[in-house]
Every structure is written in C-alpha cells, then in structure tokens.
Amino acid sequence: MDIKLRSGTPADAEICGGICYEAFKTISEVHGFVPDFPAREVAIGVLTRMLANPKFYSVVAEVDGRIVGSNFLDERNRIAGVGPITVDPSVQNRAIGRRLMDAVHERATEKNFVGVRLIQAGFHIRSLSLYAKLGYDVREHLACMQGNALGISIEGHVVRPAANADLENCNRLCQEVHGHDRAGELKDAIADGSAAVVEHDGRITGYATVVGFFGHAVGETNEDLKALIGAAKEFAGPGLLLPTRNGEVFRWCLTNSLRITQPMTLMSKGLYNEPAGAFLPSVLY
Ligand SMILES: CC(C)(COP(=O)(O)OP(=O)(O)OC[C@H]1O[C@@H](n2cnc3c(N)ncnc32)[C@H](O)[C@@H]1OP(=O)(O)O)[C@@H](O)C(=O)NCCC(=O)NCCS
C-alpha cells in the first residue's frame, strides 16, 4: 500500500472531519461507549478550526489519491500535544496510524519541543499498543466524568473569570505544579472568555482554561480543584478528565453525582515531571 503524507489545509476539513467522526464512533460503539463526537458536524467543526489555526501542525494521509486519515500537533506550548489522530476504519491496522504519528514526531523534533503528550481512549488496545511501541509511557489513568453543574463553593476559595492580568501568576502556578507552563493555551482561553481563576488568601491558587474535555486546570491543592469544578456552569464536551490517583477529588466528584463516561490514559514521551499539585488534563494532554 503506497501511503502518501502531506500537510493539511482547511479544504480537507470535510473529509478528515468525517473520517474522525467515523473512526471514533466505530471504536466507541464496538466497546459499548458513547462516541466522543455526538455528530459528524461537530467533528468537522473541530477539525476546521484546527486546520485553519497556524498554531496547530496538521498532516493528512492519502492512499491512491484518497484521504484516509489525519493527525495534529498542538504547538502552543513548550510541550506539544498530539491528536486527534484518526484513520478511516476500512484501512485501520495497516500502518497508516504509525506513519501519521512518525510525521508529528519528526515535526516536534524539528521544532525542538521538549516532550509530546496525548490522551488515549483507555479501552482501545490498538492505540495503547501503538503509542507504547512509539516510546510513550503511561502517566495517569483518567476518568472522563459528566453530570449536572454542581453549584458548590469551597469556603475561602473564590472563583472568578480570568483576565490577561492573571497570566503571569497562572503561568507561574502551572510551572510550579508541572515544571512547564501552558501559556499559549491559557492566553487563547482568556481571549475566548472561558478561563477562570481561584483566589485564596489574597492570591491565585488555581486556574482552568475550561472545566471540560478541551480544557486543563491546575491547583495548589485539592480545594482549589474542587472550587473550579464546583463553580463550573457545565462540563464541556464529553466531560472533565480526572486523574483517578487523586482519590480525594475522584470520590468527591462521585459523591456529588458525577458519572464516569469512559476510562482514558495520559501518555507522554520526552520531558515529564511528576505533578506537584492538583490538576485536570485536557484531551490534548
Ligand atoms: C488509533 C489509530 C489511529 C491507529 O491507526 P492504525 O492505522 O489502525 O494503526 P497502525 O496499523 O499504524 O498501528 C497499530 C499497531 O498496533 C499493533 N497492535 C494492534 N493491536 C494490538 C494488540 N492487541 N496488541 C499489541 N499490538 C497491537 C499493530 O501491530 C501495530 O503495531 P506495528 O506498527 O508495530 O505493527 C486508528 O486505529 C484509529 O483511527 N482508531 C480510532 C480512533 C482513535 O482511537 N484514535 C486515537 C485516539 S487516542
């Protein structure tokens, strides 16, 4: 099979988005899970935005001139995020996925990223095998959790919308917890109006770009994380991603009626520091 790779363009969004929808739907339904994308248009919309965004590198695979898959690299931070990677279900398990992964790794090396990360659907043994063979280590088991807004406030922890003036403090906090900041994403989220901060004892002790699938959150303590989750108006997309090793917050979410929708895995290759605080990864990492 002659696999050709090329950069993606906005004109690929319709076909790549359709493949992305079908690929996730097929694998989720085989395992009895609800697909990540509720409709084809949602997947096309997400890929349209990524293909048009210069901060995302994209690669498209073709076989005999037909598009069969795509992959992305989020280049907004010092650590790059891989995915979503999807291959047309009719040609999966024939090395197209490996080629699409190699392409984003070459790009990450070229651009001097110190590490790459991704989130893997925990029930999907093929992607788990592929990523492990490509050098990724399993870092966290995650529960994707969904439910009604909790409307809970945590004493002494005030949640308010984030502003540009908070950037420096939030980036410092992320640096302390993860050893690197996520300044690019946070800046975008503040511009979108989706980011929030927690104030405790007169300083910022936590922030979230979004409490949900496409956003990450960082807190000095579990109380900061609970304050952000408790104040969220909704858990955007399929749900928030909770590291289950954080038993205290995991049980708190379960006790407050959030339900697990699927297991997921945070994997990394390159620089990784054991987090020194509380956090929620986004689906990009
Ligand atoms: C995940 C996905 C992108 C992989 O692409 P693909 O073209 O099917 O995968 P490849 O054929 O390149 O690689 C699969 C690898 O896993 C190995 N593999 C598959 N099942 C395995 C198993 N049960 N145990 C061990 N290895 C296994 C294959 O041998 C192959 O390894 P190799 O390259 O060393 O031969 C594709 O299957 C897909 O689109 N899945 C649905 C969407 C999805 O889950 N995307 C990823 C989100 S995290």
Side-chain angles (χ1 to χ4, degrees):
M1 194 164 51
D2 186 20
I3 307 163
K4 289 210 165 56
L5 300 184
R6 62 165 173 83
S7 301
T9 75
D12 299 316
E14 184 92 21
I15 296 178
C16 290
I19 291 173
C20 182
Y21 172 71
E22 290 299 337
F24 278 114
K25 182 174 185 292
T26 306
I27 195 73
S28 295
E29 288 182 352
V30 163
H31 293 85
F33 289 96
V34 175
D36 289 340
F37 293 107
R40 181 178 296 269
E41 294 64 41
V42 179
I44 293 173
V46 169
L47 264 56
T48 299
R49 286 190 290 282
M50 292 177 88
L51 286 161
N53 189 336
K55 295 173 200 160
F56 285 81
Y57 173 75
S58 60
V59 56
V60 169
E62 291 181 345
V63 171
D64 298 332
R66 178 171 76 96
I67 295 177
V68 291
S70 61
N71 197 9
F72 295 84
L73 193 70
D74 178 352
E75 303 188 330
R76 289 176 293 175
N77 308 297
R78 277 182 63 224
I79 305 275
V82 174
I85 175 173
T86 46
V87 171
D88 185 326
S90 67
V91 288
Q92 285 178 3
N93 222 8
R94 294 186 214 170
I96 298 169
R98 177 179 274 267
R99 291 283 304 278
L100 285 167
M101 290 298 284
D102 287 345
V104 297
H105 293 150
E106 278 161 27
R107 168 78 175 187
T109 305
E110 234 170 74
K111 293 281 169 185
N112 293 321
F113 284 101
V114 290
V116 286
R117 294 186 195 173
L118 54 79
I119 305 290
Q120 183 263 345
F123 54 77
H124 191 186
I125 52 177
R126 187 185 310 145
S127 64
L128 178 64
S129 312
L130 177 64
Y131 302 152
K133 284 188 194 176
L134 290 171
Y136 284 80
D137 289 319
V138 169
R139 296 298 181 181
E140 294 282 348
H141 176 261
L142 308 167
C144 182
M145 305 193 80
Q146 190 51 277
N148 293 327
L150 304 186
I152 295 174
S153 42
I154 303 294
E155 205 185 333
H157 293 72
V158 178
V159 179
R160 63 158 173 83
N164 277 325
D166 301 317
L167 268 168
E168 202 182 319
N169 285 324
C170 292
N171 290 335
R172 190 178 312 124
L173 177 62
C174 189
Q175 179 79 37
E176 279 164 17
V177 172
H178 287 299
H180 61 90
D181 67 39
R182 299 180 72 159
E185 276 177 278
L186 179 58
K187 214 165 157 209
D188 286 354
I190 291 175
D192 288 348
S194 67
V197 295
V198 188
E199 286 183 332
H200 174 60
D201 278 348
R203 59 193 183 84
I204 289 177
T205 53
Y207 80 86
T209 53
V210 173
V211 181
F213 211 56
F214 291 97
H216 71 274
V218 181
E220 277 183 12
T221 67
N222 280 344
E223 297 310 285
D224 299 311
L225 206 53
K226 287 182 198 166
L228 288 163
I229 298 170
K233 300 268 182 298
E234 60 168 353
F235 307 114
L240 63 89
L241 297 173
L242 192 85
T244 55
R245 276 199 303 162
N246 188 342
E248 182 192 333
V249 178
F250 186 29
R251 273 184 292 278
W252 181 83
C253 288
L254 290 167
T255 307
N256 284 294
S257 302
L258 295 190
R259 307 270 302 172
I260 302 174
T261 56
Q262 61 172 308
M264 302 193 90
T265 319
L266 168 63
M267 301 181 81
S268 77
K269 180 175 155 85
L271 179 84
Y272 189 85
N273 299 315
E274 186 60 25
F279 77 106
L280 302 177
S282 79
V283 74
L284 291 171
Y285 74 83

